[in-house]
Amino acid sequence: MFTLSKLFWALIQPSNVILFLLVLATFALLWGYRRLGGWLVAGVTAVLVAITVLPIGTWLLIPIERRFPPPALPDHIDGVVVLGGAVDGGKSAIWQQIALNEAAERVTALQELARRYPDARLVVSGGIGRLIEGPGHPARALEAYYAAQGLDPARILFEDRSRNTYENAFLTRQQVQPAPGERWLLVTSAYHMPRAIGVFRQAGWPMTAYPVDFRTTGSVHPAMLLGRLAQPDVAERLVELDLAIKTWVGLAAYRLAGRTDALFPAP
């Protein structure tokens, strides 16, 4: 299932589809199908212009990121689970320093919560989520990083086998064995939170959402539209659209597979 999901996404990822259509248009023009090639080029161009000018990816991400607003933190919690995905294990191993990506707030949030709740159990869940494993492991890089930051790695339980959100929930629950009635915080990116909460609920482990790594401001302002016109960035818009489509597809796929308790889990 893991391999199939990766291959399926590679086929439907918007930026990959656009590239495929451009390649198809090129061959159509070379083989003399000028009308077909022209229509394909015109269609792809129109799509790229629309993606660049209009905040399509932002519009798609906003309802997901607003689904679980940051909570008012209680005086006591029993533990914190941080989902992986913020560390490039390969680069970290090669350069011997932690390499964080756009989801770096997942890493720093654990430090903040560890200080706020000195008695809470700390868990980092995440293995290597790529089809082809490279050098290094994100968990080892995080161990070294937290130790350098003064957070004792012995206090942190690393679940380092999970490759996706489903495995995050079930493997972590098996390892942690939370007691009934305990209150745990789940830390992950805001766009990922609805699916993650749904999976943990399905695993029998209700969580309090603590979203980080917001990719939008929660609304679209006229100034944003003007900024896109003044400084168009096709590559950035494609990345945003890819993320938005992947998030919605993930919600639907997990619900169809029975891995979440709802199509769009809510607080």
Side-chain angles (χ1 to χ4, degrees):
M1 182 66 73
F2 172 75
T3 301
L4 287 176
S5 67
K6 294 293 184 181
L7 294 176
F8 175 71
W9 172 244
L11 290 174
I12 67 168
Q13 185 173 345
S15 54
N16 287 347
V17 172
I18 289 172
L19 176 61
F20 170 77
L21 291 176
L22 286 175
V23 171
L24 184 62
T26 301
F27 279 106
L29 292 172
L30 290 175
W31 291 339
Y33 296 96
R34 296 183 179 276
R35 179 172 295 180
L36 174 61
W39 278 110
L40 287 172
V41 170
V44 169
T45 301
V47 169
L48 289 175
V49 170
I51 292 171
T52 304
V53 174
L54 299 174
I56 298 173
T58 301
W59 281 329
L60 292 172
L61 283 173
I62 284 174
I64 302 177
E65 292 201 330
R66 292 174 62 94
R67 194 66 163 176
F68 287 87
L73 290 174
D75 294 331
H76 169 79
I77 61 168
D78 295 287
V80 179
V81 174
V82 178
L83 301 189
V87 178
D88 188 315
K91 290 179 182 177
S92 299
I94 291 170
W95 298 110
Q96 293 299 297
Q97 57 180 254
I98 195 163
L100 300 175
N101 57 31
E102 296 88 347
E105 289 93 331
R106 300 190 194 185
V107 173
T108 58
L110 183 64
Q111 296 171 259
E112 299 166 7
L113 293 170
R115 287 191 293 267
R116 185 182 183 102
Y117 301 106
D119 298 323
R121 300 169 68 184
L122 306 178
V123 182
V124 175
S125 175
I128 298 175
R130 299 185 298 270
L131 284 177
I132 301 175
E133 296 186 10
H137 195 290
R140 306 293 82 79
L142 278 173
E143 284 180 313
Y145 170 78
Y146 285 133
Q149 296 298 312
L151 179 57
D152 184 3
R155 189 184 165 193
I156 307 171
L157 174 64
F158 288 92
E159 183 290 298
D160 58 5
R161 295 180 297 152
S162 56
R163 300 168 297 174
N164 54 33
T165 312
Y166 174 77
E167 294 180 358
N168 284 146
F170 282 86
L171 293 179
T172 303
R173 191 177 191 281
Q174 289 175 5
Q175 200 165 339
V176 173
Q177 294 293 311
E182 288 186 342
R183 186 167 190 179
W184 285 72
L185 293 181
L186 179 63
V187 179
T188 189
S189 300
Y191 68 84
H192 183 230
M193 187 60 75
R195 178 155 55 104
I197 284 289
V199 173
F200 273 82
R201 286 175 181 167
Q202 193 78 338
W205 193 359
M207 288 276 191
T208 297
Y210 188 80
V212 295
D213 178 33
F214 287 84
R215 304 299 176 93
T216 75
T217 60
S219 61
V220 175
H221 304 284
M224 178 186 296
L225 301 178
L226 293 175
R228 286 172 178 261
L229 290 172
Q231 190 175 359
D233 190 331
V234 180
E236 182 178 339
R237 309 303 176 229
L238 279 174
V239 170
E240 184 180 58
L241 182 64
D242 282 347
L243 177 63
I245 296 298
K246 183 178 182 180
T247 302
W248 281 108
V249 169
L251 283 167
Y254 266 53
R255 182 56 183 157
L256 288 172
R259 291 182 169 184
T260 57
D261 64 339
L263 176 62
F264 195 21

